[in-house]
């Protein structure tokens, strides 16, 4: 009887031992998984790429680099990103561990400072410093549940198998945070409409109106602004608070504006100064037959023969002004004849005389802005392919051959500013479609499109050229010069397709910029409707 009882007890003891051993192994596995999950979550939270690489199963270099690019933020958001990162905590849900042989999973709950709600707090989001401080003090958290899936490698170490998905979900929760930028830091350009400029001094002559337009970065959006105008230090005008007030206009109630310095002060809706710009208004005697009715920089030898249709003459992108304009080492000169209201669609053409000899006649066009390029047939050039120095007289005619307006500019030679290094995409500050009238890069019934390339200070004036593509093919290529950063294309240019009214054909136009060595810089596309 005793032997029989013992024989029954032994199997029970064996079963119990196996169960206890299996339970101990299971607990040991769970502990190993929890430990691996904690280390991996800590690496994600702290951006420890070395451990993320070691703790991920068969991760490729490209996958790790992609994760690093999300976690290793090195831009103007640095302090805000660092503050969020320092506030991240996590907890491994030990009850969620599941394992089956060489595979397992566990849930990790990350708690991230609630940067999203603070972005809606006007006081906290006024600048990067305030935003970072508010994030560092907040007790509110965003919780993100991430399930880490593990597999054992050849050394039976637990490695995260779904590392790409886990890292993406973790990064999506906070690394795309936007940092407040002051309005002053979003000013891209200050444009004085129809003004002449010398050595940074903006001038108007005999004018009843001055206009200062501010170009802001796209992220500024439609935020309202206002501006004040001062004359010789005394405030003379304050605009309404409106998105339209980025176009600063000041007009005289009667006659021309008084001589002196005029400053525009632009403010955001909270009264913070965005930018200040100053111009000088000066009177001058009428230059011969010229009747000045708005700002212009015509010379004393300018003539307006058709006073019924012509308002004034304006030169663009020159180097000096002294009784007319002077270009230095240029491949282009540009004269605009501004027509009066109702005559803007007048068809015309231009003739150019060089030192008294006619050298060029343009094609007929409905555009009254004329560009003379050194590549135009018959135009004299120097050995460096710049326009030859001397005097250039430009005259605009209507289609009956009647002279409407003319003026003379000078071209000077000199040393050529040769930039040894080609412009690269990293030298680009921004681009914008001048005169498109909308944020969607659309022109309506246009005879001209223009994509302007803004380069950083070190690259300004470097030689570039641009190409215009329409209908899938290149239809125009500019000269290589330091002035080709203004990508202009009109219906009068060779290669342009115009409709019956002299407007550019409808469709998409792409303007691509290249460095002097042919390397690509940047391109953008607009639509003409």
């Amino acid at each position: 009887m005793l032997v029989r009882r013992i024989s029954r007890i032994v199997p029970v003891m064996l079963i119990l031992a196996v169960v206890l051993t299996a339970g101990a192994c299971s607990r040991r596995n769970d502990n190993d998984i929890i430990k691996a999950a904690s280390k991996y979550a800590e690496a994600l939270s702290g951006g420890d790429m070395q451990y993320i690489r070691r703790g991920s199963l068969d991760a490729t270099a490209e996958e790790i680099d992609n994760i690093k690019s999300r976690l290793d933020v090195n831009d103007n958001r640095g302090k805000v990103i660092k503050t969020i990162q320092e506030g991240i905590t996590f907890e491994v849900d030990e009850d969620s561990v599941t394992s089956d042989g060489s595979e397992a999973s566990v849930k990790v709950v990350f708690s991230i400072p609630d940067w999203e709600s603070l972005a809606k707090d006007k006081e906290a989001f006024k600048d990067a410093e305030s935003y970072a401080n508010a994030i560092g003090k907040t007790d509110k958290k965003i919780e993100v549940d991430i399930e880490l899936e593990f597999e054992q490698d050849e050394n039976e170490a637990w490695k995260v198998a779904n590392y790409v998905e886990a890292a993406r979900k973790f990064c999506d929760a906070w690394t795309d945070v936007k940092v407040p930028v002051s309005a002053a830091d979003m000013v891209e350009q200050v444009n004085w409409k129809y003004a002449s400029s010398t050595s940074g001094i903006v001038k108007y002559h005999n004018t009843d109106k001055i206009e200062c337009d501010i170009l802001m970065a796209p992220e500024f959006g439609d935020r309202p602004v206002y501006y004040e105008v001062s004359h010789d230090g005394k405030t003379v005008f304050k605009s309404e608070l409106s998105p339209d007030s980025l176009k600063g206009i000041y007009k005289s109630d009667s006659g021309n504006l008084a001589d002196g310095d005029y400053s525009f002060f632009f403010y955001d809706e909270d009264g913070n100064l965005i930018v200040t710009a100053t111009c000088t208004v000066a009177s001058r005697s009428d230059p011969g037959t010229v009747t000045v009715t708005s700002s212009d920089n015509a010379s004393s030898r300018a003539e307006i023969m058709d006073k019924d249709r012509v308002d004034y003459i304006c030169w663009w992108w020159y180097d000096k002004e002294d009784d007319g304009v002077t270009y230095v080492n240029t491949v282009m000169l540009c004269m605009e004849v501004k027509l009066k209201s109702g005559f803007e669609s007048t068809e015309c053409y231009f003739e150019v005389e060089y030192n008294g000899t006619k050298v060029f006649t343009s094609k007929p066009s409905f555009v009254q802005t004329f560009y003379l390029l050194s590549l135009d047939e018959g135009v004299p050039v120097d050995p460096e392919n710049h326009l030859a120095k001397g005097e250039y007289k430009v005259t605009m005619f209507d289609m009956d051959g009647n002279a409407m307006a003319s003026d003379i500019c000078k071209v000077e030679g000199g040393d050529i500013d040769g930039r040894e290094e080609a412009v690269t995409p990293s030298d680009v500050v921004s681009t914008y479609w001048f005169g498109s009238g909308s944020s969607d890069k659309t022109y309506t019934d246009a005879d001209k499109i223009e994509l302007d390339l803004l380069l950083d200070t070190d690259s300004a004036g470097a030689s570039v050229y641009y190409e215009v593509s329409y209908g899938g093919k290149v239809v125009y290529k500019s000269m290589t010069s330091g002035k080709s950063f203004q990508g202009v294309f009109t219906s009068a240019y060779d290669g342009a397709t115009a409709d019956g009214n002299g407007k550019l054909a409808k469709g998409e136009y792409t303007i691509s910029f290249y460095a002097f060595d042919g390397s690509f810089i940047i391109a953008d596309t607009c639509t003409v409707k």
Side-chain angles (χ1 to χ4, degrees), residues 20 42 51 68 72 147 152 177 186 220 223 264 271 277 311 324 338 341 370 444 461 471 524:
L20 289 174
E42 184 177 1
Y51 189 84
K68 182 180 179 181
D72 187 14
E147 185 175 17
Q152 287 182 311
V177 58
M186 286 189 273
F220 188 77
R223 290 161 56 180
F264 283 75
D311 192 352
K338 186 68 174 178
S341 178
F370 171 70
T444 302
D524 202 2

Side-chain angles (χ1 to χ4, degrees), residues 433 443 446-451 487-489 504 509 511 526 528:
W433 289 97
Y443 294 81
D447 50 30
K448 171 187 169 184
I449 58 175
E450 179 178 337
L451 178 64
V488 176
F489 186 63
L504 286 168
Y509 291 78
I511 296 181
C526 73
V528 174

